[in-house]
Amino acid sequence: MSTPPVEAPPPAARVVTVGARRLPGWLAGFVARHGGANATADAHTVLLTGGDGARAWVQVPFPPLAFDVDEPVAALVEHVQRPRNVGVLLVRRGGYAAGVFAGSELVASKVGSSYVQGTTKAGGWSQHRYARRRENQATAAFADAADVAARILLPRLDDLEALVCGGDRFAVDAVLADVRLEPLRSLVTGGLLPVPDPRLKVLQATPEQFRSARIRLDP
C-alpha cells in the first residue's frame, strides 16, 4: 500500500537550509519550540506539525526516503547522514569541475578553466562576428568540460548513487548532452547548486550544500 503524498507547503513559506550534522538538533529544537510535533512523510518530504500549529516541510535530499510510518523522523536523520558516493559536475562559461565524493571526502577530481569572451556593445557585422567567436569559444569550453566529466565520473559510474550539478543551467545541459555522458543523466538529483566559477575550493565545499536539507516553514 503506497503512502499518500504529504500536503504541499504554502507558496509564502519561508525557506531555511540545514546541514546534515545540524539536522538532528534542528528537528529537536522545532519540537521543543512548538509544544511537541507529529510527523507524516512520503518518499520526498517529511512534514512536522507542532502542537501550536506551526509546520515544517523537510525536503528529502537524495530521494526516495524509505521509512516506517511510526518513525519517519529517525528515518530522515539516518537517510540524510548516510555516507554516499556522489558525483559532482560544476560548469560555468569560465570553468568547470568534476569530482567524486565518498561522504564528504573528495576522492577524485579535475578542475579546469576556459576563456569565453564577454558581451559587447558593438553593432552590425562586428557584433555578429563577435557573437560567433564567443559561441565557438563556449562550445570548445563545454567540450573540454565533457572530456573531464567522462574521465572523472564514468570510471566510477557503478559506484555512484547520484550526480549533483551546479553553475549555469545552459552550460550544464550543454555538457550533459555529450553522448558519452548519457549514463549519468538518470543519476542527476536535486536542484542546480548556486556556485561561483568552479575552482577546487568551490568543488570541495559542495557537500555542505548537497548533503543539506531544505526546509519550508509556516509560519
Side-chain angles (χ1 to χ4, degrees), residues 20-209:
R21 288 179 294 181
R22 292 179 50 235
L23 184 62
W26 190 96
L27 295 170
F30 180 91
V31 172
R33 289 191 302 272
H34 298 288
N38 294 321
T40 57
D42 60 27
H44 297 271
T45 309
V46 174
L47 170 60
L48 298 178
T49 302
D52 60 359
R55 294 178 294 176
W57 290 260
V58 185
Q59 182 178 328
V60 177
F62 305 105
L65 173 67
F67 62 95
D68 184 309
V69 293
D70 295 323
E71 295 290 342
V73 173
L76 172 68
V77 170
E78 188 281 330
H79 178 90
V80 170
Q81 295 189 333
R82 178 167 63 86
R84 292 178 171 80
N85 294 321
V86 177
V88 176
L89 175 64
L90 309 177
V91 191
R92 300 190 76 89
R93 286 182 178 267
Y96 47 85
V100 176
F101 287 87
S104 296
E105 180 185 0
L106 183 61
V107 296
S109 66
K110 177 67 175 176
V111 176
S113 60
S114 53
Y115 175 70
V116 179
Q117 291 175 304
T119 57
T120 179
K121 294 182 180 179
W125 285 108
S126 294
Q127 183 176 11
H128 291 305
R129 288 195 300 271
Y130 192 95
R132 285 196 301 271
R133 186 183 307 119
R134 187 168 184 266
E135 181 178 350
N136 290 338
Q137 290 170 343
T139 298
F142 298 156
D144 289 344
D147 288 342
V148 166
R151 189 187 320 161
I152 298 299
L153 300 175
L154 289 182
R156 297 173 181 262
L157 180 64
D158 290 342
D159 296 325
L160 293 181
E161 298 181 52
L163 176 65
V164 175
C165 299
D168 175 76
R169 171 58 67 189
F170 176 83
V172 169
D173 289 346
V175 172
L176 287 178
D178 188 293
V179 65
R180 295 170 296 173
L181 304 185
E182 190 276 334
L184 294 170
R185 296 172 201 161
S186 62
L187 295 177
V188 175
T189 189
L192 195 70
L193 298 182
V195 297
D197 283 345
R199 298 289 185 269
L200 181 57
K201 288 185 177 180
V202 173
L203 177 63
Q204 291 170 329
T206 54
E208 185 63 26
Q209 296 183 65

